[in-house]
Amino acid sequence: MAPMALALILGWCLAAASRAQQLPRPSLSLHPSQGVSLGDTVTLRCHLPRLAARVELYQGGRWRSVMDKKEDMAEFSLVSTEQEDAGTYRCKYRVLEPPWTSRLSDPVELVITDRMFPPPGISLHPEKPVRMGTNVTIHCWNNYNGITFLHKDGCSAPIQHQDPDGGGTATFTLFGVTPADAGSYRCFYRPKGFYPFLSSPLGNNVTLEMESASAPPGAEGTSYRNFVVAVVRGCAAALVFALGLYFILDARSLWIQRDVRSGAPQ
Ligand SMILES: *[C@@H]1O[C@H](CO)[C@@H](O)[C@H](O)[C@H]1NC(C)=O
Ligand SMILES: *[C@@H]1O[C@H](CO)[C@@H](O)[C@H](O)[C@H]1NC(C)=O
């Protein structure tokens, strides 16, 4: 009897699982998707591929709320966000006929900036304009041993991140920089020992400048110009000398011819 009951339950579970597969998954989006500070209002939108009877929101695997439902979208607003609102969210929906539940959407991360954390310090090496191919280092430090992110102005996503071990200083290297790397850089960090999706504000910027290739400034340019002038002068002197030599030889040959002619018997 027991094995049969087990088989029935198993069969039911498999059937339920395969039904969930049949419903297309919803997708979740965040508005605004970035730059949310503590106290801001954020809207989560669950986009529904078909009419649903009920839509549920989960935060980090825990049921969070049932959402207001519109035609093809369910909206959930977090008014005046708090620290514990930071995290990953997913949604799913139910339909009545037949009574199926979809799988969860892909997760979205709600990162909240908390100004309680001071912005990180930053430094750039070398500070002067660099040539193509130079390795440039950016150090960012904080007192919360946080995961540190390097942000470039104009890029929406952080370009590198690092978990500094112990010291709280992250070292980012831009290997063999090109003109595309020129610009302003800043850091922010996610402090350890707090809610994991809290972030510090962006810190001050450092600016990576490239030497312009067309007009190399400084001593090297001057010595190059001196070299060119010396070469031109040398060539001119050699030309004058060669011309002089040519005229002398030419004149000599004329004299010789005249001597030969005048000395010859007529
Ligand atoms: C840049 O770093 C790489 C890897 O450490 C090294 O092989 C290369 O020689 C460095 N380039 C310069 C110009 O220092
Ligand atoms: C970067 O910081 C400097 C001061 O350190 C400021 O003058 C400049 O406007 C900043 N650049 C950007 C793009 O914010």
Side-chain angles (χ1 to χ4, degrees):
M1 196 64 205
M4 200 171 153
L6 197 67
L8 270 175
I9 291 168
L10 197 67
W12 185 85
C13 289
L14 283 175
S18 72
R19 273 179 209 148
Q21 307 283 335
Q22 285 163 13
L23 283 181
R25 290 167 78 191
S27 66
L28 188 62
S29 62
L30 207 58
H31 308 270
S33 59
Q34 282 178 336
V36 177
S37 291
L38 217 59
D40 289 354
T41 294
V42 180
T43 304
L44 292 143
R45 286 192 191 130
C46 187
H47 304 272
L48 307 167
R50 54 172 285 181
L51 278 178
R54 188 182 153 99
V55 184
E56 293 174 359
L57 184 70
Y58 289 77
Q59 182 188 359
R62 290 206 315 273
W63 186 85
R64 168 94 192 217
S65 180
V66 177
M67 297 193 271
D68 298 334
K69 186 164 60 65
K70 293 184 185 141
E71 289 265 298
D72 56 350
M73 182 181 75
E75 228 175 44
F76 179 77
S77 282
L78 299 171
V79 179
S80 185
T81 49
E82 296 171 7
Q83 285 192 333
E84 52 266 42
D85 292 325
T88 56
Y89 288 84
R90 295 162 183 260
C91 67
K92 69 178 184 185
Y93 64 95
R94 288 182 187 185
V95 295
L96 291 178
E97 291 293 327
W100 290 347
T101 303
S102 78
R103 284 179 294 153
L104 287 163
S105 67
D106 283 333
V108 295
E109 289 184 0
L110 171 55
V111 177
I112 300 181
T113 303
D114 187 343
R115 297 188 186 279
M116 176 183 100
F117 302 107
I122 191 165
S123 71
L124 173 78
H125 306 277
E127 280 184 48
K128 60 181 171 59
V130 296
R131 289 183 182 193
M132 281 264 287
T134 309
N135 293 342
V136 171
T137 309
I138 296 173
H139 292 291
C140 291
W141 58 91
N142 67 85
N143 293 329
Y144 290 87
N145 199 25
I147 300 173
T148 303
F149 295 79
L150 181 65
H151 167 91
K152 182 168 190 247
D153 285 6
C155 297
S156 57
I159 57 168
Q160 289 186 36
H161 70 274
Q162 210 178 81
D163 197 349
D165 35 348
T169 297
T171 303
F172 300 104
T173 307
L174 306 171
F175 291 104
V177 293
T178 68
D181 294 310
S184 274
Y185 292 82
R186 303 158 192 273
C187 282
F188 67 94
Y189 60 93
R190 292 191 190 170
K192 280 198 184 140
F194 296 87
Y195 292 97
F197 291 94
L198 286 181
S199 144
S200 77
L202 277 170
N204 283 339
N205 74 73
V206 288
T207 304
L208 170 57
E209 284 181 89
M210 303 287 296
E211 267 180 14
S212 64
S214 52
E220 283 166 31
T222 313
S223 67
Y224 178 72
R225 267 199 301 278
N226 288 347
F227 173 71
V228 169
V229 167
V231 167
V232 169
R233 276 189 188 148
C235 288
L239 193 67
V240 167
F241 179 74
L243 276 173
L245 202 62
Y246 171 78
F247 281 122
I248 288 165
L249 290 176
D250 201 38
R252 253 193 80 203
S253 71
L254 276 176
W255 278 109
I256 290 163
Q257 276 175 26
R258 212 163 47 195
D259 288 352
V260 168
R261 249 185 255 131
S262 61
Q266 301 244 293

